[in-house]
Amino acid sequence: MSSTRQEPAEAELPDRVWTVPNILSFLRLAGVPLFLWLLLGPKADILALIVLVVAGLSDWLDGKLARWLNQSSRLGALLDPAADRLYILATLIAFLIRDIVPWWVVAVLVGREIVLGIAVLVLGRLGYGPFPVHYVGKAATFCLMYAFPLLLLTDGTYTGAEWFRPLAYAFTIWGGAMYVWAAVLYLIQLGGALRAGSPARLAQASGG
């Protein structure tokens, strides 16, 4: 559903830490090592799947609560995408070790994160904060967070594994493609920032 309402820029958000959405984000971050251990230690896939599903639900819930309770914050704007990326990276590492996904899929998606990490450092040196998450990136994360549980369900010899496989591959392909495309859009924004030369000039050019 489209909307003309604009999300507030990160610089306009208040400096609040102990809000309900931020607490949910902290708990989601704390689940990353647990999730990784469940996949690689006891290989308790069902429990790992539950952790991943709960993380996905909390990701949806903290955004809703931030709007409902008027508790948006700068920290929340950083924690939310950071938690998503950590779950994606942790899942990719575990799936690579367990041979659930091919190495080149991991290389592409991890390479994307490295490139964006360098871009954020460049923005910081120029005096910019991270750009807001693009809707393509949100859609990509949504697809990947569906793809990973489905891929986990394909890792087995039971009959149902064959049923889940086409759907898992579809979500992985679409999510991976949009994830890379979101990085391209981010780099285009970076190019605009470099041409603008300063945050003030970029804000003026965008009508801010």
Side-chain angles (χ1 to χ4, degrees), residues 33-108:
L34 172 62
F35 172 70
L36 195 57
W37 176 76
L38 288 171
L39 284 178
L40 297 179
K43 294 186 179 180
D45 292 352
I46 298 301
L47 291 177
L49 187 60
I50 292 172
V51 171
L52 192 60
V53 170
V54 170
L57 290 175
S58 69
D59 184 25
W60 172 82
L61 184 59
D62 65 18
K64 291 291 185 182
L65 289 175
R67 290 186 288 273
W68 289 342
L69 302 176
N70 193 25
Q71 291 187 348
S72 297
S73 65
R74 293 186 187 182
L75 180 61
L78 294 174
L79 286 177
D80 193 45
D84 291 339
R85 286 172 177 162
L86 281 175
Y87 270 102
I88 289 172
L89 288 174
T91 306
L92 288 171
I93 291 170
F95 281 9
L96 179 63
I97 293 172
R98 291 183 50 175
D99 200 27
I100 296 175
V101 295
W103 67 267
W104 59 267
V105 172
V106 178
V108 169

Side-chain angles (χ1 to χ4, degrees), residues 49 146-156 158-172:
L49 187 60
Y146 268 89
F148 292 152
L150 290 169
L151 285 169
L152 195 57
L153 291 172
T154 66
D155 186 38
Y158 64 99
T159 305
E162 295 296 326
W163 301 342
F164 289 116
R165 191 161 288 122
L167 193 58
Y169 289 170
F171 272 108
T172 302

